[in-house]
Amino acid sequence: MITRRGFLKILGSSVVGAMAFGGYAFAYEPIVRLNIARYALTPPGWTPGLKLRVVALADLHACEPWMSASRIAAICAKANELNGDVTVMLGDYTSGMNIVTRHMHSSEWSQVLAALRAPLGVHAIMGNHDWWEDKDAQKNDGVKPFAHRALADVGISVYSNRAVRLEKDGHGFWLAGLEDQLALLAGKRWGRARMVGLDDLDSTLAQVCDDAPVILLAHEPDLFPRVPQRVSLTLSGHTHGGQIRLFGRSPVVPSRFGNRYAYGHVVEEGRNIIISGGLGCSIAPIRFGVPPEIVVIDLG
């Protein structure tokens, strides 16, 4: 039978443990840590001799104190040090939280992101929060959100169902970027009975006019079952790895497929997708077991 003294010891240990967990999950992991997640692969259909390094950033969710301008600047500096041939940004630049000390204007975080450099350019797509936080874009059924305009204003290429051919060492490849799959919210306020995606996979891939490999940028990974084998690699964010990840699984994942596309490199029927754990937080400022990361992919 447990004594009162024993009970208090257990209670005290539990409180200390909870405080330690809370301090790590709310303060240290989301704000201080920054991992480099590295992948190396030669996808089916990849051009022999084409060596390409892709640096990918996802889910900044700019706001203070969790993702300040100084922290974004440090992330950009680290990304530049990784010597990518091309840098891609996978959406959700705007904050998705109310637990903040200050929301950052799009002109502020976009000016910091303008420091990103890569020989073949910096390329971006939108995420769901970039649409959801823009009331004008919601009201006007697909007008470019302020995040799109802010990135374009600092010289970053923004893709909305568009494919562009790039070249390295005489070898071509395509970069295709989809518009967001959850862009327009449902509700009487917007006059929509259901959420509407603005992605158009078919028309985007129809712009590819030769046999060069295709890298597809899609904020949410949920469309991956529909991606054809013509696409060499799909890159996604959105899930944040669940923000809490234990023993390779996350209790809650913002995907209808659950943990199937929660995080990392997934191969299905010879098709490849890499899902970034992202950099910031949404809903709640907590990360545990899935620290903020920059993704580096070496192809070839």
Side-chain angles (χ1 to χ4, degrees):
M1 182 176 180
I2 189 169
T3 64
R4 180 176 180 273
R5 183 181 180 88
F7 172 76
L8 291 176
K9 282 185 176 180
I10 294 171
L11 179 62
S13 298
S14 299
V15 170
V16 170
M19 291 176 64
F21 171 83
Y24 178 85
F26 281 91
Y28 185 77
E29 185 161 306
I31 296 179
V32 177
R33 292 193 64 185
L34 180 62
N35 279 6
I36 309 300
R38 297 181 182 272
Y39 302 90
L41 61 151
T42 304
W46 193 256
T47 303
L50 173 55
K51 302 291 185 181
L52 186 73
R53 172 169 286 189
V54 181
V55 173
L57 309 178
D59 304 292
L60 279 165
H61 293 290
C63 65
E64 293 184 354
W66 316 108
M67 187 59 70
S68 65
S70 61
R71 178 149 168 80
I72 296 172
I75 290 168
C76 291
K78 185 62 179 178
N80 288 341
E81 291 174 3
L82 294 168
N83 298 317
D85 297 303
V86 62
T87 296
V88 299
M89 297 192 294
L90 301 174
D92 275 5
Y93 315 95
T94 61
S95 174
M97 293 189 296
N98 293 321
I99 308 172
V100 301
T101 57
R102 186 174 76 88
H103 288 282
M104 293 172 61
H105 193 272
S106 59
S107 62
E108 187 175 356
W109 52 254
S110 62
Q111 286 290 339
V112 181
L113 289 171
L116 288 168
R117 295 287 184 270
L120 297 180
V122 181
H123 310 261
I125 57 171
M126 293 291 100
N128 57 303
H129 284 284
D130 302 317
W131 283 95
W132 294 358
E133 300 297 323
D134 190 330
K135 306 311 176 190
D136 288 337
Q138 292 295 319
K139 186 185 303 181
N140 292 298
D141 276 0
V143 66
K144 290 178 181 177
F146 61 73
H148 183 127
R149 300 194 302 272
L151 291 173
D153 285 347
V154 298
I156 293 173
S157 298
V158 186
Y159 291 61
S160 178
N161 299 322
R162 183 165 66 100
V164 170
R165 192 181 191 277
L166 303 174
E167 189 171 296
K168 185 196 174 190
D169 298 334
H171 299 293
F173 69 95
W174 290 84
L175 199 61
L178 293 184
E179 193 49 86
D180 191 67
Q181 301 159 57
L182 306 172
L184 302 179
L185 292 163
K188 291 182 179 179
R189 179 179 183 182
W190 314 116
R192 289 187 287 270
R194 60 181 180 83
M195 189 176 289
V196 176
L198 296 177
D199 58 303
D200 191 336
L201 179 62
D202 291 340
S203 71
T204 302
L205 295 182
Q207 298 167 44
V208 175
C209 57
D210 63 19
D211 294 331
V214 179
I215 299 172
L216 177 68
L217 313 180
H219 179 66
E220 296 90 359
D222 282 21
L223 91 164
F224 186 59
R226 297 194 291 113
V227 174
Q229 290 186 340
R230 174 69 183 86
V231 173
S232 297
L233 176 64
T234 301
L235 299 178
S236 294
H238 181 64
T239 64
H240 304 191
Q243 286 190 196
I244 297 175
R245 195 163 179 82
L246 300 168
F247 309 110
R249 295 185 66 81
S250 302
V252 179
V253 181
S255 165
R256 67 178 184 272
F257 294 103
N259 274 275
R260 180 174 169 184
Y261 304 129
Y263 176 74
H265 183 197
V266 179
V267 181
E268 291 184 352
E269 299 175 355
R271 299 169 303 117
N272 289 263
I273 183 171
I274 293 174
I275 305 104
S276 169
L279 290 156
C281 301
S282 64
I283 310 302
I286 182 173
R287 276 181 177 263
F288 186 82
V290 55
E293 67 179 24
I294 299 172
V295 175
V296 178
I297 309 111
D298 286 307
L299 296 164

